[in-house]
Amino acid sequence: MTQSVVPHRVAVVAPSPVSMFNLAIPEMLFGKVERDGRPGYDVVICAAEPGPVPTTGGLDLHVRHGLDAVRDADTVLVAGTGAPFEPESRIVAALREAAADGKRIASLCTGAFQLAEAGLLQGRRATTYWAHSEELRRRYPEVDLCGDVLFVQDGPYLTASGYAAGIDLCLHIIRTDYGAAAANQVARLALVAPVRPGGQTQFTQTPLPPERGTACADTRGWAMRNLDKPLTLTDLARHAGVSVRTLTRRFHAESGVSPLQWLLHQRIERARELLETTGLPMDQVARESGLGTADSLRAHLVRRTGLTPSAYRAQFTRIGPSTATAA
């Protein structure tokens, strides 16, 4: 008898005045996760005081649930607020209780101030919206503030910088809970960029900044369709119809990384998805993702995730045990 999937419970806390965009992100992304035809997450929005909650856009949102939802959650996510320097005492107390219970706790944008006030970030790496970074550093000097990343995970606590970085953090959570294939599928369904790792944690490495242009978009798409081939800078430049020097300059301006760094990131992502969704032998996974050999696959995956390919497959496989091939 197959055991049914129990949804992972997420409580999204709405400090007043709350960012509507921040509230929409977890509902949009977590709501698209399914396992065995059942929801992967149960998302509840809650507030210190149930009822109308002002937003940064001047509207009021009716929030039905109070902070009791935090006690029932597996993950607590604090949305950003237009009043970051005035942490809500009831929210702070609920976060401390959640931390004592060992829950995973995250923040989007200025929600990091609530976590810092609760003392959760003391001696830990964290980030927040860049415009308020210096104020967070001044108020909470014990926080190891990382101002140049999309998001940071330090132990059970995650913090994201502003706006679209919240998407990256939520996709990272989905990846941690359900694997790269699930996160990539959600990214496609939501029409957002592929997963961009954002901090130095077990399942992340070098961040891929948001793409800022379209001149190399066709070449990136072509490369994604040909990851199994030994692509070189010359190959990419020839497809783009420019010199290697021009390609490198444009590519870096648009994606924030060099063409070869981007290519390696995509190949590792492809390998992870193949490990999760197929029973292919490791040599074939390496070839189809463009990583060459099983030894190369192992080296890159251990560096990126801390897991060998076999261990990664065992943890995140989405196929039956009779179909998977160990190596």
Side-chain angles (χ1 to χ4, degrees), residues 187-200:
R188 288 192 293 268
L189 290 173
L191 299 178
V192 297
V195 180
R196 297 181 293 149
Q200 301 296 318

Side-chain angles (χ1 to χ4, degrees), residues 66-306:
L67 294 176
D68 286 348
V70 171
R71 298 192 184 98
D72 298 329
D74 302 303
T75 295
V76 181
L77 196 156
V78 183
T81 171
F85 311 142
E86 302 170 13
E88 221 290 341
S89 59
R90 287 172 290 181
I91 293 177
V92 170
L95 292 176
R96 287 173 177 157
E97 182 179 338
D101 290 340
K103 300 181 188 294
R104 179 171 59 189
I105 302 175
S107 66
L108 303 182
C109 198
T110 55
F113 283 82
Q114 307 277 345
L115 274 63
E117 182 68 18
L120 308 187
L121 304 181
Q122 186 168 358
R124 295 184 181 271
R125 292 176 299 119
T127 192
T128 189
Y129 183 48
W130 64 269
H132 298 308
S133 291
E134 289 306 315
E135 186 62 22
L136 189 142
R137 181 179 282 112
R138 187 186 70 80
R139 289 171 178 261
Y140 307 102
E142 69 279 7
V143 177
D144 182 6
L145 188 64
C146 305
D148 57 349
V149 296
L150 297 173
F151 64 87
V152 176
Q153 178 168 4
D154 193 328
Y157 307 124
L158 302 91
T159 52
S161 54
Y163 296 101
I167 296 174
D168 298 297
L169 181 142
C170 288
L171 288 173
H172 169 72
I173 289 175
I174 294 170
R175 173 185 296 198
T176 301
D177 293 340
Y178 294 109
N184 291 343
Q185 181 183 28
V186 168
R188 288 192 293 268
L189 290 173
L191 299 178
V192 297
V195 180
R196 297 181 293 149
Q200 301 296 318
T201 63
Q202 181 181 6
F203 290 100
T204 59
Q205 182 105 8
T206 304
L208 285 186
E211 293 173 0
R212 295 183 289 271
T214 60
C216 295
D218 287 345
T219 298
R220 287 194 295 268
W222 172 78
M224 289 290 290
R225 295 189 295 273
N226 291 276
L227 288 178
D228 58 326
K229 297 180 175 62
L231 300 178
T232 65
L233 273 176
T234 301
D235 296 326
L236 295 172
R238 184 182 299 115
H239 182 275
V242 297
S243 68
V244 168
R245 185 172 183 176
T246 298
L247 173 83
T248 302
R249 175 174 51 80
R250 289 181 181 175
F251 213 99
H252 198 283
E254 292 184 15
S255 67
V257 293
S258 73
L260 294 183
Q261 286 175 318
W262 178 89
L263 195 59
L264 177 60
H265 177 85
Q266 303 304 333
R267 283 175 165 157
I268 295 172
E269 287 302 299
R270 176 68 56 80
R272 291 170 71 160
E273 191 160 354
L274 289 172
L275 288 171
E276 294 172 24
T277 60
T278 75
L280 295 175
M282 298 306 172
D283 280 334
Q284 192 171 346
V285 170
R287 288 195 302 271
E288 294 199 9
S289 61
L291 292 175
T293 66
D295 287 341
S296 176
L297 167 66
R298 180 186 177 92
H300 284 297
L301 201 68
V302 168
R303 190 178 302 118
R304 175 66 57 85
T305 70

